[in-house]
Amino acid sequence: MSKHIEKLKKQLMEISEVVNSFKSEAVQVKVIDRLLDAMAESEKHDLEGSEIYLKRGRKLRTGIDDENSSFGRKKPGATKILNQLLATDYFDSRHSISAIADYCKDHYDSDFKTSELSGILLKLAKENKLKRERSHDNNRFEYVKA
């Protein structure tokens, strides 16, 4: 066990200078995260068949292809989903931000906060892809195709 810890300490000392050369703490975290993922992946081959858990609680695949596994696949982001909605007839009628968020949750399995959608919707309105109009009922903005 101590040999493993000593080896790990030596490796950390070697990479610390490179990691610390990045000014952004977010970039440093991403670099370390990728390194840890790579280390876990290489150890996966050593353990043959045993399950390895990453620090975020995700389980690595153990060589057996699980067709239902969503490991490594991300859900599409708010921008992508809103652009997909633009291609449909969804925005033919007026919708509030909360109605759009509910629709995304129901039809795309993406639970967006209204604050995540508002900036993207405003951008689409400025690009004249959507119209942004105030509702007479509740004085809130609603979006419809331009």
Side-chain angles (χ1 to χ4, degrees):
M1 184 69 164
S2 65
K3 286 184 180 181
H4 183 66
I5 291 173
E6 291 300 319
K7 180 181 174 185
L8 185 59
K9 281 183 183 178
K10 183 179 177 187
Q11 290 172 337
L12 288 172
M13 291 299 291
E14 291 172 359
I15 65 166
S16 66
E17 187 176 323
V18 175
V19 171
N20 289 332
S21 69
F22 293 101
K23 302 284 186 231
S24 168
E25 188 174 299
V27 173
Q28 291 175 344
V29 169
K30 283 186 179 190
V31 168
I32 290 192
D33 188 39
R34 294 226 177 166
L35 285 170
L36 291 174
D37 287 348
M39 288 172 52
E41 184 70 27
S42 69
E43 288 180 9
K44 176 183 91 168
H45 298 293
D46 296 341
L47 297 176
E48 286 186 12
S50 66
E51 296 175 344
I52 299 173
Y53 291 89
L54 295 175
K55 63 182 176 180
R56 293 186 184 137
R58 293 180 293 172
K59 184 171 74 171
L60 283 176
R61 286 185 273 172
T62 57
I64 301 169
D65 286 324
D66 182 7
E67 293 177 13
N68 297 327
S69 174
S70 63
F71 180 78
R73 282 185 245 140
K74 290 184 180 179
K75 290 183 183 178
T79 303
K80 185 170 186 173
I81 288 178
L82 289 176
N83 283 320
Q84 288 175 357
L85 284 178
L86 269 173
T88 67
D89 60 353
Y90 179 75
F91 284 109
D92 287 349
S93 59
R94 296 163 57 124
H95 298 283
S96 67
I97 295 178
S98 59
I100 296 167
D102 291 340
Y103 187 86
C104 290
K105 185 174 186 174
D106 295 340
H107 292 84
Y108 292 94
D109 192 31
S110 295
D111 195 11
F112 298 121
K113 296 177 184 174
T114 57
S115 60
E116 292 177 84
L117 298 176
S118 62
I120 301 163
L121 289 167
L122 180 61
K123 180 178 180 264
L124 291 171
K126 287 182 178 180
E127 293 173 350
N128 292 322
K129 294 180 180 179
L130 290 176
K131 283 189 219 171
R132 184 180 192 217
E133 302 171 345
R134 283 215 184 259
S135 169
H136 299 292
D137 299 333
N138 58 15
N139 203 31
R140 295 194 181 193
F141 287 112
E142 293 181 333
Y143 297 86
V144 66
K145 272 190 184 171

